[in-house]
Amino acid sequence: MMGTTGNLLRIIPPWLLGVAVTLVGHWGDRRWFSQRGNLASGGTVWDNISVVLFANLLFLGLLPTVILDFLQPMIPFTGARAGLAVALLGFLFGLVPARLLDAPRTGWDRAFWLLLIDFLRIGGALTLIGWLLVI
């Protein structure tokens, strides 16, 4: 039973961080970039809160915990540094090219805002997971 509690304590903090940063990102996106008619998604984040909760749980809690649990012994450093290293790789090779290719359509200011929010979500969650795996 202690193992299940330990695993939940590894998953919940990154999930909560991901949800909080996602909500702040949506708030900032609506506040600063909603004046553009073609970017309005029609609806609020509260309309899709179940999707936000589930996606953050899956992609920022469960999958990264399992991946870091297996990969951390192969990475030359441990803890938060290992989590941040894996987050940077995923961020640089996954999200940055996608956001930059989409920037001419959405606008460079919004693209950089989304990159910041993505980095805070991914970098923070995986850093927390790496740190929690060592404890």
Side-chain angles (χ1 to χ4, degrees):
M1 198 65 165
M2 182 61 176
T4 305
T5 305
N7 288 338
L8 283 177
L9 291 177
R10 290 180 184 164
I11 293 169
I12 291 174
W15 174 57
L16 291 176
L17 174 80
V19 169
V21 172
T22 300
L23 294 176
V24 168
H26 281 287
W27 172 81
D29 195 26
R30 286 249 182 234
R31 179 179 170 112
W32 291 308
F33 305 110
S34 65
Q35 65 269 17
R36 296 184 185 164
N38 61 345
L39 297 178
S41 59
T44 65
V45 70
W46 301 111
D47 296 339
N48 297 321
I49 193 67
S50 61
V51 173
V52 169
L53 292 174
F54 180 73
N56 280 298
L57 177 64
L58 182 65
F59 294 112
L60 297 177
L62 296 172
L63 289 176
T65 300
V66 171
I67 290 169
L68 269 180
D69 202 21
F70 288 117
L71 289 182
Q72 197 162 358
M74 295 181 272
I75 298 176
F77 31 82
T78 60
R81 290 182 186 175
L84 189 57
V86 172
L88 283 173
L89 284 175
F91 179 72
L92 289 176
F93 292 116
L95 286 170
V96 171
R99 294 287 188 206
L100 292 180
L101 289 174
D102 200 34
R105 185 180 64 83
T106 62
W108 287 98
D109 52 350
R110 185 168 190 263
F112 286 126
W113 170 256
L114 293 174
L115 279 172
L116 172 69
I117 295 302
D118 290 339
F119 178 71
L120 289 176
R121 277 194 320 208
I122 293 172
L126 285 172
T127 301
L128 271 173
I129 291 170
W131 179 67
L132 290 169
L133 284 175
V134 174
I135 298 179

